[in-house]
Amino acid sequence: MKALDDHQALIFLAISLGIESPVARRLVHKGEYSKPANLANIDPEARARIGALGEEFVKAACEAELTDLGRDDLGKQVARVSLISDGFGYDISAPNIRGELRLLEIKTQCVPSSSQFRLYISRNEYEVGRTEANWALVCCDMAGASDGDISIAGWCRGETLGPYLPEDHNGRWTEAMVVLPRGVLLPGFPSAIP
């Protein structure tokens, strides 16, 4: 297989993650790319890079929102806690104008679908989202290979995810792929004005 340019690599990654799009389906149908048998075949560095771009984009949006509200002091408190640990159950902590923390779990999807948003969520992320009132899942679309091609698709609270998660029967799920209808997402991200 020849070397892929950035756009082709993102399409391949989207296909690998099972993200549907007309472009991805055409490429698979033409036999130009094949889907790996499982997630173990996906380059973890590429997934981490895409996730980091989404997190940085939302962090910057939170900082800009607080600055626009005349609260530079709070804008400086926005933190990408995922750099410290994945164990928090969220990626960004961002104060609102009262100083209460918004706990934001960021998911970034390549080759966006107009009707759904596909993501992987850990049990810990869901449990934190289910129990913390200020937790929110923020979904981002990445249309190209740079952070300038990212947009915020919308957000939801933890309880919104429940109907889309697997049930525990003879075991307990630890990570799940979730397909959210875009209709359940609220516009933008949780406001700094409660």
Side-chain angles (χ1 to χ4, degrees):
M1 179 187 264
K2 65 179 181 161
L4 305 177
D5 65 29
D6 286 345
H7 182 69
Q8 291 169 324
L10 286 172
I11 291 171
F12 179 76
L13 180 61
I15 293 166
S16 301
L17 292 172
I19 298 168
E20 294 295 325
S21 81
V23 172
R25 279 194 297 276
R26 271 196 312 277
L27 291 170
V28 170
H29 180 73
K30 289 165 101 179
E32 292 182 32
Y33 303 104
S34 61
K35 182 177 178 179
N38 60 48
L39 287 176
N41 294 332
I42 298 171
D43 177 10
E45 288 180 18
R47 284 181 71 187
R49 209 169 34 250
I50 290 166
L53 287 171
E55 290 174 18
E56 284 297 325
F57 185 83
V58 173
K59 180 180 182 281
C62 291
E63 292 167 339
E65 176 193 34
L66 288 162
T67 297
D68 289 347
L69 292 169
R71 294 303 308 264
D72 290 336
D73 59 321
L74 294 176
K76 292 175 184 169
Q77 294 177 30
V78 175
R80 190 170 153 216
V81 299
S82 62
L83 294 173
I84 300 166
S85 171
D86 277 342
F88 292 114
Y90 54 93
D91 301 310
I92 307 279
S93 66
N96 62 27
I97 59 169
R98 290 190 275 195
E100 302 161 337
L101 289 182
R102 295 172 284 169
L103 311 175
L104 309 177
E105 175 60 29
I106 315 305
K107 299 296 181 183
T108 305
Q109 165 179 275
C110 296
V111 190
S113 161
S114 62
S115 62
Q116 59 192 10
F117 192 93
R118 290 181 188 236
L119 62 108
Y120 288 87
I121 190 160
S122 72
R123 183 67 173 237
N124 181 54
E125 291 164 349
Y126 172 65
E127 291 297 335
V128 172
R130 195 176 59 75
T131 58
E132 296 291 333
N134 289 340
W135 186 95
L137 173 72
V138 179
C139 299
C140 295
D141 288 322
M142 184 170 177
S146 71
D147 58 351
D149 295 327
I150 295 177
S151 61
I152 296 175
W155 68 279
C156 66
R157 295 283 180 209
E159 63 266 11
T160 303
L161 300 174
Y164 305 99
L165 292 169
E167 294 182 17
D168 293 326
H169 288 291
N170 296 326
R172 183 175 159 97
W173 67 270
T174 57
E175 183 178 46
M177 186 180 102
V178 177
V179 180
L180 283 177
R182 285 192 183 254
V184 304
L185 298 177
L186 300 168
F189 60 95
S191 175
I193 304 172

